[in-house]
Amino acid sequence: MFERIAILGTGLLGTSLGLALREAGFKGSIAGWNRSAEGGREALAMGAVDLIASDAISLARQSDVVVLCVPIYSTLDYMEKLASELTPQQLVTDVGSTKGQITDAAGRLFNTPERAAFLPGHPMAGKERGGASLGEAGLFRGAVWLFTDDPAWQRSPRGAELAANWRDWVVAIGSKPIDLDAERHDELVAWVSHLPQFTATALSSLLEDQVGDAPELKHVGGRALREMTRLGASPFSMWRDIAHTNTTAIEAALLALEQRLAYIRENLRTPALREEFERANAFRRE
Amino acid sequence: MFERIAILGTGLLGTSLGLALREAGFKGSIAGWNRSAEGGREALAMGAVDLIASDAISLARQSDVVVLCVPIYSTLDYMEKLASELTPQQLVTDVGSTKGQITDAAGRLFNTPERAAFLPGHPMAGKERGGASLGEAGLFRGAVWLFTDDPAWQRSPRGAELAANWRDWVVAIGSKPIDLDAERHDELVAWVSHLPQFTATALSSLLEDQVGDAPELKHVGGRALREMTRLGASPFSMWRDIAHTNTTAIEAALLALEQRLAYIRENLRTPALREEFERANAFRRE
C-alpha cells in the first residue's frame, strides 16, 4: 500500500530502517532528511534512502508514511509542525524511547477525521554509539517493537488501515510487535532499558575515577567488565531527552537498585547473599 | 622442565587449563583430581587430563607442579594439607579470585628452604556458569593473569626457577602476566571484577521481582539488558568465598556505586548528568 516512505533523521535508527525495508522487499521510494548534511550523505551512500531532501516538511507532505527517527524533543517539535500540513491519507509514526508525551501529542494533534494518523512506536534496538555509518539492515531482527496507540482515539478515517500496514512492515523487517499503554510502556522501559543504561554509566564513570589513569588495569576485568561498561560509551545527546521525559520512573528504578546494592553490601557474609544470587539466577533462567 | 602437572579441581578453569596446556604443546603428563567423580570423568573424556586420580595428596606428591583450581577456602585447606607433604623440588600455584589470605598462607606454609615453592596466581577469565563441560582451550587467550608473589619470601631453593617456568606456560597459553602485591590485587579486583558481578546480581534480582512473572517482558530489553544481566546467572557457590575473603574492599566499591547512582538520580535534569556521561565515555575510550 505505501509507495513513498519518508525517514526524518538518518542516524543509526533511520538508516537501519531504510536498509531493513529494502532488504524486506519494499519497492517504493524511501526519501530521507537529516539535520546534518553529512549524516544524510552517508545514509544515501549506503543505499538506505534514494534521496536526501532539503526540507523535512515538504518531504513529509509528499509521503504516504513519515517515520520520525529523531530525539524525543525533536519528535515533539515535528509533530507540532506536521499536524496541520498533512492529510487523513497519511500516517506518521516514530521510534522514540519514551512514549508518554509523544502519545499525548498524538491524541491532541493527530488521529481526528481531518488529520493524519499517528502510531507511536518504539523499537527495542540500538547501539551504544549512533550515526548513519553504524546502520545495518539486521538491527531490528529479533527485537521487540513496542506500540502505544489507543484505538479509542483513532478517528482518522484510514488510520486503522495505515497503522496495520506499518505493523506489517515492522514484522517484515524481523521485529516482534507488542502493544502496551503509554504509561505502562514508560514504566517498563525504565526497568529494562533505562536502568541498565544509567547503571552502566554510573559504573563506567566510577571506574574512570578509580582506574582511568592506569590503562593497563582497565583491561584486567576482561569480558565481564567490557560487557558491564559497554553502554558507558552511549552519548549524552541520546539520553538527555529520555532522562527529561521519563524522570519519575527512572528515579524509582535507580532508587530501587541503590537499595538492592546496599542490601547486598550489608549481607556479604550472611545467607541473604545466597537468596540474592538465586533470585538473579531465576531471572536468567528461560 | 615440568614433566608432570597435577590439576586439583577439574571444573571450568581446571579443564580449560589442561586443554590450553595441551594446545600450547605441553608434552608431559597432566593428571587431574576432582571432588565429584562426574566432573573428573568429563574432563578426562574431553582430553583435558590423561587420568583422574582418586587421592589428591598422593597425586600432588608425584607431580612437578600442582595447580589448585578449587574455590578459595578449598585452596586454603589444600595448602595446609600439602605443605608438609611436598618437597623443595615442587611448585604449587593457584587460580583463586582473592589473594590476601592465599598469599599470607603461601608465606607461612611454603617458600622456605625445606618446603615447596608457592606462586599465587589469578587468571582474569571465566564464564557465568562453571563445570568441566564448558571448558575450552582458548579461555585464557588474551586474558590478564595476575600474580602476587613476593620475591622477599621466596626462599625455596628452586622457587624462582620453578615460578619462571610456570609463568612461561601462562604466556604460552595466551595470557598476559601482571604482577601486583596482594593488597593492591584485592582492591583492584573489587573494582573491576567483583563490583561488576554484584551489580549484575543486584540488577537481575531486582528485575526478577519487577518483571519475572511476565516472561514476554523480560525479552523487551534486548541486547543491552542481556549483557547487563548475563553475570546474574553466576552461581552463589563460586562467589561466596570471594564475598567472604574480600569483604571490606567489596563493601567500599558497592557503597561508591550506590552513591554514584544516587548522584545520577538526583541530577537527571541538571547539567551534572552530562558530566557523568562524559566521564563514562572516557572510560570506554581507548
Side-chain angles (χ1 to χ4, degrees), chain A residues 31-55:
Chain A
W33 170 88
N34 197 59
R35 191 166 56 90
S36 88
E38 194 193 332
R41 273 194 302 269
E42 213 155 9
L44 186 64
M46 292 168 74
V49 294
D50 309 321
L51 65 93
I52 288 288
S54 57
D55 182 65

Side-chain angles (χ1 to χ4, degrees), chain A residues 205 209 227 230 260 276, chain B residues 205 209 227 230 260 276:
Chain A
S205 165
D209 285 349
E227 277 190 0
R230 181 180 63 91
R260 192 63 61 126
E276 284 303 303
Chain B
S205 165
D209 286 349
E227 278 190 359
R230 181 179 65 89
R260 193 63 61 123
E276 284 303 304

Side-chain angles (χ1 to χ4, degrees), chain B residues 39-70:
Chain B
R41 274 195 301 271
E42 212 155 10
L44 186 63
M46 290 168 74
V49 294
D50 308 322
L51 65 92
I52 288 290
S54 59
D55 182 65
I57 306 297
S58 56
L59 170 62
R61 271 203 226 96
Q62 301 158 41
S63 305
D64 300 316
V65 51
V66 178
V67 191
L68 297 168
C69 299
V70 290

Side-chain angles (χ1 to χ4, degrees), chain A residues 111-124:
Chain A
N111 299 315
T112 68
E114 298 78 31
R115 292 278 173 98
F118 192 101
L119 174 63
H122 177 202
M124 298 301 293

Side-chain angles (χ1 to χ4, degrees), chain A residues 124 205 208-209 220 226-227 229-230 232 234 244 247 258 260 265 269 276 279 281 283-284, chain B residues 124 205 208-209 218 220 226-227 229-230 232 234 244 247 258 260 265 269 276 281 283-284:
Chain A
M124 298 301 293
S205 165
E208 176 64 15
D209 285 349
V220 164
R226 269 196 309 279
E227 277 190 0
T229 59
R230 181 180 63 91
S234 296
H244 279 243
T247 316
E258 290 160 46
R260 192 63 61 126
R265 173 171 53 80
R269 290 164 166 278
E276 284 303 303
R279 199 172 286 118
N281 293 170
F283 183 73
R284 292 294 304 195
Chain B
M124 298 301 295
S205 165
E208 175 66 14
D209 286 349
K218 286 166 74 166
V220 164
R226 270 196 308 281
E227 278 190 359
T229 59
R230 181 179 65 89
S234 296
H244 279 243
T247 315
E258 290 160 46
R260 193 63 61 123
R265 173 171 52 79
R269 289 163 166 279
E276 284 303 304
N281 293 170
F283 183 72
R284 292 293 305 194

Side-chain angles (χ1 to χ4, degrees), chain B residues 7 18 23 26 62 75 86 97 99 116 126-127 130 136 144 154 172 204 213 215 221 225 234 241 247 251 263 270:
Chain B
I7 295 176
E23 194 183 76
F26 180 72
Q62 301 158 41
T75 296
L86 304 182
S97 300
K99 296 261 74 86
K127 294 186 178 180
E136 49 180 280
V144 167
Q154 185 57 266
S204 303
D213 54 352
L225 184 63
S234 296
D241 289 6
T247 315
E251 282 169 351
Y263 182 74
T270 83

